[in-house]
Amino acid sequence: MHWRIPRSHPRYESLIVREMLVEAFMEGIVVPQGLIAHGRGEAFDYILGERSHPFALLAEEATVASMLLARRPVISVNGNYAALAAREIAELSRLTGALVEVNLFYRTEERVAKIARLLEREGARNVLGVECEKAQIEGLESPRGIVCREGIYAADFVLVAIEDGDRTQALRRAGKVVAAIDLNPFSRTAQTAHITIVDEARRATKNMVEIASKLKEADRGRLEEIVKNYDNRRVLAEAFKTMMMRLSEAAEKGIIIEVP
Ligand code: ATP
């Protein structure tokens, strides 16, 4: 920890998360570009009021139901996602039977190994990425397209978080159902995923752990119903509307934070 953040600080949670990312950066888990991406996410989260809205919970429920129904579900993990939610990712994988694979845009084998170790320390089993037969996702030049043959390559469902649009699109073109956690509903990732979770990655994964512990006992019919009734276009529209409403309210009032 570089400095002690007082618990009373009004933005304590957000500052703690920032510290977690800075530490992960020092350890070589997060790349500098990841810190920039986090800042972009924070800006959208500020507009959303830093909470999980009903449209996010709907997408989270559809993601968990899809994972439980999939034959080969995989959670794709990059540096930022691991730094923010390693324990929750491990728990979600345990509850849904999804494999965990480290998959990086800025890939070095050393960083893959570090992230896999972090995930395993937090309870994830058989993390893929280091020792696996490699395959290439079509449309992504190497090394950005390298995945594990028995992991993402063979998956029918992939959950990505804080991901770049090209990779999300390539996974979709490869025939996978893609769920994406992304605070920016304008991003190419948010716009191309089958299920878009407009929520902060750590909060979203915590929510999905809770949902999975309930849904794992549900019968297939109930899970299929959740997936069938899910409408991503509406969920994205609700995310934009919520942002717009919060912005219009602020635009009317001008001052929304009273000094105590
Ligand atoms: P795209 O390529 O999809 O159009 P981009 O160029 O912004 O988007 P990246 O910078 O690779 O792509 O993606 C990072 C995305 O993740 C951004 O949309 C950012 O808002 C989002 N993001 C950053 N931190 C978080 C977080 N903690 N939780 C959820 N989303 C986040």
Side-chain angles (χ1 to χ4, degrees):
M1 201 51 74
H2 311 283
W3 59 285
R4 281 191 67 80
I5 301 159
R7 269 211 165 267
S8 57
H9 194 289
R11 308 207 60 261
Y12 178 80
E13 275 295 324
S14 160
L15 293 176
I16 287 286
V17 167
R18 236 183 234 185
E19 285 298 306
M20 285 164 69
L21 275 174
V22 169
E23 259 173 44
F25 167 71
M26 308 278 200
E27 288 164 17
I29 284 171
V30 165
V31 286
Q33 293 85 344
L35 297 180
I36 295 170
H38 182 74
R40 183 154 58 252
E42 278 185 335
F44 283 98
D45 208 18
Y46 219 125
I47 296 174
L48 284 167
E50 296 172 318
R51 62 174 181 267
S52 302
H53 290 271
F55 57 79
L57 291 167
L58 275 180
E60 285 152 14
E61 183 183 52
T63 298
V64 172
S66 304
M67 275 171 132
L68 290 166
L69 286 169
R71 278 178 300 106
R72 301 181 74 110
V74 174
I75 306 172
S76 174
V77 183
N78 59 21
N80 280 44
Y81 194 25
L84 292 171
R87 186 162 302 166
E88 291 79 8
I89 293 166
E91 191 59 9
L92 185 61
S93 144
R94 192 183 65 75
L95 289 166
T96 59
L99 292 172
V100 177
E101 177 170 338
V102 180
N103 190 238
L104 305 179
F105 187 99
Y106 300 100
R107 186 183 179 98
T108 67
E109 294 312 308
E110 194 195 345
R111 200 157 76 89
V112 173
K114 274 188 189 169
I115 295 170
R117 273 203 301 276
L118 165 64
L119 288 161
E120 282 170 355
R121 251 199 335 264
E122 295 297 337
R125 303 248 170 86
N126 308 320
V127 175
L128 289 167
V130 187
E131 281 165 30
C132 66
E133 190 191 329
K134 302 292 188 305
Q136 186 81 22
I137 293 282
E138 212 174 299
L140 292 175
E141 80 286 2
S142 187
R144 282 176 55 210
I146 297 174
V147 292
C148 291
R149 190 169 290 283
E150 76 266 38
I152 291 176
Y153 193 77
D156 53 348
F157 176 93
V158 184
L159 168 65
V160 299
I162 319 171
E163 185 56 275
D164 141 85
D166 273 9
R167 281 148 65 89
T168 311
Q169 286 171 8
L171 289 174
R172 193 173 164 147
R173 275 198 298 270
K176 299 163 194 323
V177 175
V178 181
I181 307 175
D182 193 327
L183 277 160
N184 175 8
F186 289 96
S187 81
R188 287 170 310 149
T189 288
Q191 290 286 316
T192 16
H194 294 93
I195 304 175
T196 307
I197 301 169
V198 184
D199 200 357
E200 197 283 318
R202 196 158 118 100
R203 271 198 323 262
T205 316
K206 272 190 192 160
N207 292 341
M208 285 193 282
V209 165
E210 223 172 273
I211 295 167
S213 49
K214 289 183 194 136
L215 279 189
K216 80 182 175 46
E217 307 299 343
D219 57 44
R220 260 190 104 74
R222 160 105 179 91
L223 299 176
E224 280 164 357
E225 199 183 286
I226 291 172
V227 174
K228 197 177 97 218
N229 291 336
Y230 180 78
D231 180 348
N232 205 47
R233 190 181 284 269
R234 255 185 65 192
V235 161
L236 276 166
E238 284 301 320
F240 284 118
K241 267 187 228 153
T242 303
M243 287 181 175
M244 204 165 67
M245 269 154 49
R246 286 182 51 84
L247 286 168
S248 339
E249 198 191 329
E252 238 160 66
K253 289 187 180 158
I255 289 172
I256 53 167
I257 297 176
E258 302 293 342
V259 179

